[in-house]
Amino acid sequence: MDEYLVQVLSNIGMISFLALSAYILLITGEISFGQQAFFAIGAYASGIATAMWGWGFWPGLVWGAAAAGAAAFLLAWPTLRMRGLFFAIGTLAFAEMVRLIFEIFRYQVEIDGELVGPNGSEGFRGIRYIFEQDISAFHYMLLIYAVLAGVLALLFVIERTRLGAIWRMLGEDELLAETEGVNRTYYKVLATVVAGAVAGIGGALYAHMNTYLEPKIFNVMLGVHSLAYGLIGGLGTAFGPLIGVGIDIGLLESARIFSGYRMIVFGGLVALLLIFRPRGLLDEAAVHALVAWWRNTFSSPAKRSGGSGRPPERPGA
Amino acid sequence: MLEVERVSRSFGGVAALTDVSLEVGAGEVVGLIGPNGSGKSTLLNVITGISPAERGVVRFDGRDVTSLRPDRTAALGLTRTFQTPRVLHRMTVLENLSAALFAGSPKVRRLRKADRERLNGLLEECGLGRRVDELASKLTLPEQRRLELVRTLVSDPKLILLDEPAGGMTPAETEGMARLIAEVAARGRTCIVIEHKIDMISSLCERICVLDFGRVIADGTTREVLEDEAVLDAYLGRRDIA
Amino acid sequence: MIVDFVQNTLDGIFVGSSYSLLAIGFTLIFGVMRRLNLSYGPSIMLGTFAGTLLFVEFEAGLLAVAAATLAGAVLAGVYVERVCFWAIRRGAALASMVSSFAIWMQLEEIVTVVFPDRTYPFPPLADFALEPGPFFVRGDHLVMFACAAAITVLLHLLLYRTRFGLALRAVSRNPAAAAFVGINTGLVLFSAFALASAIGGVAGYLIAAADQQITPFFGLWATFKGLIAMTLGGMGSIPGAIAGGLLLGIIEAHSGWYLGTEYRDLSAYAVLFAFLVFRPGGLFAQRQTLRSQLAARRV
């Protein structure tokens, strides 16, 4: 496979975690400008684990996700009372704080006569686990997609069961959800933690592919992009954000015809979509229509009430 | 079952409820009437905990629920509909019910075949059988009101609060809704019904409570209340009722 | 010691007055529309580049540069209003906010395509300094402070002494009721947006003249400083915008001096976050902000 293509696909895969993270909060009705903070925390935590503590890749990945989830848990409480715009600004302030803390965060140890570890705004060099284990870029790309498939599968299970239905209920009408018996605090905090952990996984994968972390790449632009992906691709299914990532990174950033004009096209596209399809290409109505079409075409009437002929992307229920 | 004791609630200095007391026994169907702005919906909000009482006590099943949040009162078996129907427009009719089932019963993790059949049955009974897989945003107002009524039944509640279940309906639709509520009541459920349509109230309820300017001005059997001078003055006299 | 403290506070107030200027336009849009315009800074940035174009290419005078800056900011603002606010239904506050971010990306890219050199010179306005006693005050900062004060007074007169102001306040309180009594709400919103952009243009001109240079990064900077200052003061409140801007300036000056420059922005965000948690209405909490919180709950 072409090296450039592998890199583009790897990027799409990693950013997808961030887009899914923003998507989880979007379906619960919150707009976060700060998911990049959890991406950064996952990246730093897993990088520290493998490069400085000598951990393996998988423990490092889990540790990165756990650290991001824990940070999200801490953020969830003070932001619980913030609504709408206030939540957006609050998460923005939090993420910028995290980035600025990484700008001054120094923690280095000497390994083989060389200082390794986060060095403030100089960044964090030498996360070389993948390189040392001789894993090729192509194999690492497959690994990214395997993890992504796992997270997607988990999200599809969530969406088909209790948790997903309640998240979407909260996202559409909080008051109704509460009068029907939903404990808002519990489910909002849970959504924030899951979203944080998903972003953390993406960050961990990113750290090991790049081998070098710089605080300034975890800026608000990254966060708002990941938010926009869900709004472009659609909030009806977890495939939506992936479509958004594909359109932006796959089409606009990588296709060289748009070079220099990518943001003009991307910005215009998002603005137009928000006018004509405010919940994205694959919004709930589109997913519903697709499901109905699928069922009419591929499953016999007898199966209908049994639900066995349903495709996996069915939301809620 | 429900005891509301000298409850008061005000909004920015305007008293919406003053010393309101109301008792509802198990199996009763009580009509709650009064002119617009008399505090009927506020009373429902106080009972369910959406805007808790500032003074007074609300007891449900012998338990003090005055300052419980709405999700806690729901867990105790209180459920309601809204004056402007609240349905989840981005979900199908069936998904609306399954969401309510999940919300009301913490033990249900996923929708099993039996659950699905039960929900389908409920929808069938209230005439929404053909709309099961329709997006709720496509429903007409009477259909949305019927969906709300079915939704209250999903988690097997002890007390159902209905806020103008026939609001904005034609006489024929109103009659259909009255029949549905009567069926619900016939199964021994306790209900409080807010409604302006006196015909419907008098056919459904043995007892009526009348609110005016946030105070209870009458509470008694349907016949007594509908002949009460104060009620006629406050409410019936001012409105041309069918 | 005490001299440092006073000098820092002075610096903070004067730098803060530029934040106040940015926050006034920001808060005007929020106050009337109950929506956030993230493209506010980038529109101003586009204006300053229009000004610098005249300066670099045609060696235009101060007035022409100022006029071009203002015109550019208003034009960009009007574009943002049409795409992100007028075209998106009322009440979809979050959709407008994300859309305004998308347009931000566009404006920034347009500027970098037309002006590939990143940094451009901008003509200074008041290149002098005062030294009362041990203290040091820059002339352009004084001008900025005076302009912030003047704009506040003028805006107050406009809002409370004119028919347009009355219509504007009516629309901001209750758009539906305003429409019923015959106010052309669309036109009022449009004018308010244009007015806010013009104020932003003034702010952009003064800040660029003080810095004597301009980069595309200015858009992000202006949006963030304006947003923080507005939130500290209380979204939608004009006195709040002034106070919030000055507070932000003072916090930055002191934290930069006592903790080190790397803590400057960190302290500002920490204070912003603390305000959002403990006092979401800001210094000048308004009752409407609560309502707007409720209004903003749905995408």
Side-chain angles (χ1 to χ4, degrees):
Chain A
M1 232 170 156
D2 174 31
E3 207 174 295
Y4 181 67
L5 187 62
V6 169
Q7 200 195 333
V8 168
L9 288 176
S10 300
N11 278 335
I12 291 178
M14 285 181 312
I15 298 301
S16 293
F17 288 94
L18 200 51
L20 286 174
S21 169
Y23 163 82
I24 291 168
L25 288 177
L26 279 170
I27 62 171
T28 64
E30 300 289 7
I31 284 207
S32 162
F33 278 170
Q35 295 313 103
Q36 70 277 17
F38 306 115
F39 196 73
I41 291 168
Y44 270 85
S46 70
I48 288 170
T50 61
M52 299 169 71
W53 301 343
W55 290 21
F57 175 77
W58 294 107
L61 185 81
V62 172
W63 164 242
F73 181 76
L74 291 181
L75 174 71
W77 295 102
T79 53
L80 208 53
R81 275 169 47 205
M82 300 178 194
R83 303 258 158 104
L85 299 173
F86 290 83
F87 185 84
I89 300 174
T91 47
L92 173 86
F94 169 79
E96 284 293 281
M97 273 156 69
V98 169
R99 180 178 66 81
L100 291 164
I101 286 170
F102 279 128
E103 294 267 6
I104 50 180
F105 174 59
R106 279 185 188 81
Y107 165 51
Q108 293 189 296
V109 292
E110 210 181 292
I111 296 172
D112 300 334
E114 197 180 344
L115 277 177
V116 178
N119 185 21
S121 53
E122 296 283 301
F124 179 2
R125 282 171 206 287
I127 308 169
R128 283 194 289 259
Y129 187 89
I130 297 306
F131 180 70
E132 282 159 5
Q133 301 291 315
D134 223 10
I135 297 169
S136 74
F138 178 70
H139 281 115
Y140 194 65
M141 181 195 84
L142 293 182
L143 185 143
I144 290 171
Y145 278 90
V147 179
L148 184 62
V151 169
L152 268 180
L154 181 74
L155 277 179
F156 283 135
V157 170
I158 285 177
E159 294 240 32
R160 280 176 65 86
T161 52
R162 171 185 183 75
L163 188 56
I166 288 180
W167 277 350
R168 283 193 184 267
M169 197 180 188
L170 272 172
E172 211 181 320
D173 192 336
E174 226 169 66
L175 181 69
L176 174 66
E178 282 194 273
T179 55
E180 292 289 321
V182 170
N183 181 343
R184 174 179 177 268
T185 307
Y186 175 79
Y187 286 99
K188 286 262 170 179
V189 171
L190 188 61
T192 312
V193 170
V194 173
V198 168
I201 295 173
L205 292 167
Y206 175 85
H208 289 86
M209 184 168 114
N210 262 39
T211 73
Y212 168 52
L213 299 174
E214 219 181 349
K216 70 164 176 254
I217 56 159
F218 304 109
N219 62 16
V220 64
M221 291 294 163
L222 184 64
V224 186
H225 267 97
S226 59
L227 188 69
Y229 293 143
L231 292 171
I232 298 173
L235 301 178
T237 152
F239 280 133
L242 304 193
I243 294 174
V245 180
I247 290 177
D248 181 39
I249 300 183
L251 230 62
L252 300 183
E253 187 179 309
S254 309
R256 287 160 178 129
I257 39 165
F258 292 117
S259 75
Y261 303 94
R262 171 189 167 206
M263 283 306 157
I264 299 177
V265 181
F266 181 70
L269 184 68
V270 176
L272 279 178
L273 273 171
L274 281 165
I275 294 169
F276 296 108
R277 288 193 79 84
R279 292 183 70 80
L281 292 170
L282 282 181
D283 60 6
E284 287 84 351
V287 171
H288 175 247
L290 277 176
V291 169
W293 171 82
W294 177 280
R295 217 184 296 152
N296 289 336
T297 319
F298 295 107
S299 89
S300 60
K303 273 184 177 174
R304 278 191 60 174
S305 56
S308 51
R310 287 180 186 186
E313 71 260 37
R314 187 176 167 74
Chain B
M1 170 149 299
L2 178 78
E3 293 160 63
V4 177
E5 219 177 274
R6 298 179 66 83
V7 154
S8 300
R9 169 85 211 188
S10 60
F11 294 104
V14 181
L17 294 174
T18 317
D19 283 339
V20 170
S21 297
L22 175 71
E23 244 178 76
V24 181
E28 255 191 305
V29 179
V30 178
L32 187 60
I33 64 172
N36 287 327
S38 58
K40 306 181 300 287
S41 292
T42 306
L43 183 58
L44 291 203
N45 287 345
V46 164
I47 295 172
T48 48
I50 292 174
S51 58
E54 286 155 345
R55 275 182 291 127
V57 183
V58 182
R59 264 187 293 271
F60 179 62
D61 248 1
R63 234 185 112 158
D64 185 348
V65 299
T66 318
S67 51
L68 286 191
R69 294 188 52 80
D71 57 305
R72 300 293 309 133
T73 60
L76 293 173
L78 246 163
T79 165
R80 68 170 292 179
T81 68
F82 294 86
Q83 195 175 347
T84 321
R86 281 173 177 260
V87 297
L88 303 164
H89 294 270
R90 300 198 283 255
M91 296 188 190
T92 66
V93 170
L94 185 67
E95 283 166 355
N96 264 271
L97 291 195
S98 58
L101 179 67
F102 288 132
S105 349
K107 283 191 199 108
V108 183
R109 299 262 140 220
R110 61 188 194 85
L111 206 59
R112 270 179 285 268
K113 205 176 168 194
D115 298 319
R116 204 183 299 265
E117 272 160 16
R118 182 173 151 248
L119 298 184
N120 274 327
L122 282 172
L123 287 169
E124 203 71 54
E125 277 172 42
C126 76
L128 286 172
R130 287 156 167 266
R131 310 284 265 167
V132 173
D133 288 320
E134 197 74 65
L135 280 180
S137 56
K138 303 253 171 71
L139 297 185
T140 62
L141 178 76
E143 284 175 327
Q144 292 190 6
R145 291 212 187 275
R146 274 185 276 161
L147 176 58
E148 276 209 308
L149 180 67
V150 187
R151 192 175 61 203
T152 62
L153 303 175
V154 160
S155 43
D156 201 22
K158 292 182 184 141
L159 174 63
I160 302 174
L161 310 170
L162 302 171
D163 198 345
E164 294 199 28
M169 287 191 180
T170 64
E173 289 161 352
T174 304
E175 209 169 293
M177 181 48 95
R179 242 192 340 264
L180 277 176
I181 299 173
E183 275 172 36
V184 170
R187 286 178 212 158
R189 304 233 188 235
T190 317
C191 302
I192 297 178
V193 187
I194 294 180
E195 194 45 77
H196 283 304
K197 292 172 174 148
I198 299 298
D199 278 352
M200 178 176 164
I201 288 289
S202 53
S203 74
L204 274 176
C205 316
E206 308 94 64
R207 200 180 128 206
I208 294 182
C209 172
V210 188
L211 281 179
D212 192 26
F213 289 110
R215 290 172 187 277
V216 177
I217 57 165
D219 185 354
T221 65
T222 302
R223 260 192 60 199
E224 279 167 26
V225 168
L226 291 183
E227 283 163 11
D228 189 298
E229 281 297 316
V231 174
L232 292 173
D233 265 2
Y235 190 153
L236 308 176
R238 280 189 229 142
R239 282 176 67 101
D240 184 25
I241 52 155
Chain C
M1 274 311 279
I2 191 79
V3 172
D4 285 342
F5 185 84
V6 175
Q7 179 69 51
N8 278 326
T9 310
L10 276 178
D11 287 347
I13 288 174
F14 285 113
V15 172
S17 58
S18 69
Y19 301 156
S20 297
L21 270 171
L22 291 168
I24 292 171
F26 226 128
T27 213
L28 186 61
I29 294 173
F30 184 83
V32 179
M33 300 219 171
R34 301 280 138 198
R35 305 197 226 178
L36 212 55
N37 174 19
L38 293 179
S39 241
Y40 185 62
S43 320
I44 298 172
M45 184 264 297
L46 198 98
T48 56
F49 270 92
T52 212
L53 182 71
L54 286 194
F55 176 64
V56 174
E57 293 288 322
F58 308 105
E59 287 169 26
L62 284 185
L63 262 178
V65 171
T69 306
L70 217 67
V74 172
L75 264 178
V78 164
Y79 171 59
V80 173
E81 196 270 343
R82 288 288 109 176
V83 177
C84 309
F85 294 84
W86 175 76
I88 289 176
R89 76 189 156 81
R90 253 200 104 81
L94 295 177
S96 282
M97 176 173 70
V98 177
S99 175
S100 69
F101 179 81
I103 297 304
W104 164 350
M105 315 250 57
Q106 261 195 333
L107 295 180
E108 204 171 290
E109 189 106 322
I110 289 169
V111 167
T112 47
V113 167
V114 181
F115 300 89
D117 284 350
R118 313 291 303 172
T119 309
Y120 286 83
F122 204 88
L125 178 65
D127 211 359
F128 65 93
L130 299 180
E131 289 182 53
F135 305 117
F136 182 85
V137 177
R138 284 176 56 177
D140 36 32
H141 282 167
L142 268 183
V143 173
M144 230 186 270
F145 190 75
C147 280
I151 285 178
T152 314
V153 172
L154 287 176
L155 203 55
H156 186 85
L157 290 178
L158 180 75
L159 283 177
Y160 292 92
R161 294 279 186 277
T162 64
R163 279 178 66 85
F164 174 71
L166 186 64
L168 197 65
R169 284 183 290 137
V171 173
S172 100
R173 285 298 278 273
N174 189 335
F180 281 135
V181 298
I183 295 173
N184 182 345
T185 54
L187 184 68
V188 168
L189 292 177
F190 181 81
S191 320
F193 215 97
L195 177 66
S197 303
I199 295 173
V202 174
Y205 173 74
L206 292 172
I207 295 166
D211 290 348
Q212 300 188 18
Q213 62 172 29
I214 183 79
T215 73
F217 187 66
F218 179 76
L220 178 106
W221 182 87
T223 287
F224 275 21
K225 297 298 180 194
L227 180 64
I228 300 174
M230 172 179 81
T231 315
L232 293 182
M235 290 195 196
S237 149
I238 288 168
I242 307 283
L246 298 183
L247 177 65
L248 176 61
I250 293 169
I251 292 168
E252 286 189 352
H254 283 296
S255 59
W257 177 265
Y258 291 107
L259 300 171
T261 44
E262 65 265 46
Y263 288 92
R264 231 177 82 110
D265 288 343
L266 189 57
S267 318
Y269 281 114
V271 171
L272 171 66
F273 194 77
F275 260 76
L276 285 169
V277 175
F278 299 109
R279 203 179 161 80
L283 291 169
F284 291 73
Q286 274 193 327
R287 236 181 248 140
Q288 281 144 308
T289 45
L290 260 179
R291 211 185 55 200
S292 71
Q293 249 178 304
L294 292 175
R297 278 168 72 172
R298 285 175 172 227
V299 182

